[in-house]
Amino acid sequence: MLYIGIDLGATSAKVGVVDESGRILCKSSCKTGIERGFEPIAADMAETCRRVVRESGHTLEEIVAVGVGIPGEQNRKTGLVAFCNNLGWVDVPLMERLQTALGIPVYVDNDANVAALAESAFGASKDVSTSILVTLGTGIGGGIVQNRRLHTGAHGVGGEIGHMVVAMDGEDCNCGHRGCWEKYASATALIRMGRELMRAKPGCALASRLEGDESRVDAKAVLDLAKEGDADCLKIFNTYVHYLCIGLGNLVNVYDPDMFVLGGGVAHAGAFLLDAVRAALGNYVYCPSLSFARVELATLGNDAGIIGAAMLGRKD
């Protein structure tokens, strides 16, 4: 069986034809952008689907379903995309537009959810039944898989793990609350702490490496110096791991998953991050004498969005 997966982002929509084994047969992309508005983007997405199917050597009649991973939330009751902040969408009929244009069933879900589904079906967590994907990027995204199916809650917004509060009255979050997990364990958190370090210690190694330019601070710069043993950046890294493990420990206590899968830009730190989290996590769970979730790195990379979206239409 063949499926179409669409990974919708702020600047482009990546589209692929995916087979039953999770293999992408052909992929391409089209422009999105908040300035273009919903209707032309939806039309371009449909045309890109047609083109990718042609280029794969197949026909639309062979496609079972289309799945779309969106950077926002789908309203299951209305079928509308309730909110996509970085595209400026509120209550737009994406599912209906694509279904009408292509004549194929369309399924829509949050992008972190579909990435979790991809890792569960074909990636790092394929050998376990219950897993949680944690994407450590600009914010923290999450996708919860229970018994190999997405768990999105009674109202479809389950898995917004980045907005657990881990610091009462803490840093302001763009969601309108304070102390959210993503303010302390995202790439943005590393950037904030790196800039604070440069202001407090203008002679630090980070300031020297970046020539005193705070605008050049990114997560990689901080992590690279921590790997090299710089005491200041190691302190930032240890603080980061502390907050990351607070959130993971909370999720262990609530869901008791078989595995956490870490993805996103910060996870590119690889074994340096993984080893630290594995060593510390037991200090944050309720009963560390019992087995608790393994922690692994995501394996599907940038293709996870296409593959997971495609699998939204798979019925098994």
Side-chain angles (χ1 to χ4, degrees), residues 209-276:
R209 179 160 296 184
L210 302 181
E211 300 177 329
D213 186 354
E214 285 187 20
S215 69
R216 293 175 57 191
V217 178
D218 59 13
K220 185 177 185 300
V222 175
L223 292 170
D224 283 348
L225 278 168
K227 288 180 184 179
E228 293 168 21
D230 174 69
D232 293 317
C233 286
L234 268 174
K235 184 176 180 180
I236 290 174
F237 176 70
N238 290 334
T239 299
Y240 176 87
V241 170
H242 165 68
Y243 280 108
L244 179 56
C245 286
I246 287 176
L248 295 178
N250 287 343
L251 292 169
V252 168
N253 295 338
V254 173
Y255 286 103
D256 188 24
D258 294 301
M259 184 185 294
F260 290 113
V261 180
L262 304 183
V266 177
H268 292 159
F272 181 67
L273 175 67
L274 192 62
D275 291 346

Side-chain angles (χ1 to χ4, degrees), residues 30 38 49 56 68 86 98 113-115 212 220 283 293 295 297 302 310:
C30 63
F38 167 68
C49 289
S56 74
V68 189
N86 57 11
L98 292 178
N113 285 341
V114 303
K220 185 177 185 300
N283 298 322
V295 185
L297 298 175
N302 292 332

Side-chain angles (χ1 to χ4, degrees), residues 191-210:
I191 292 168
R192 185 189 75 249
M193 289 187 282
R195 289 175 176 170
E196 289 170 351
L197 168 63
M198 287 175 62
R199 293 180 202 128
K201 296 180 68 174
C204 68
L206 183 63
S208 177
R209 179 160 296 184
L210 302 181

Side-chain angles (χ1 to χ4, degrees), residues 1-6 15-20 49-50 52-53 59-69 95 98-99 102-108 306-316:
M1 292 185 179
L2 299 177
Y3 308 86
I4 294 173
I6 304 175
V15 181
V17 176
V18 182
D19 69 14
E20 190 76 14
C49 289
R50 296 187 194 97
V52 169
V53 171
T59 66
L60 280 175
E61 287 71 27
E62 296 175 82
I63 305 298
V64 174
V66 177
V68 189
M95 185 169 67
L98 292 178
Q99 204 157 281
L102 299 171
I104 301 169
V106 175
Y107 302 86
V108 180
I306 291 176
I307 295 169
M311 293 302 103
L312 288 174
R314 189 173 71 168
K315 305 300 180 184
D316 51 22

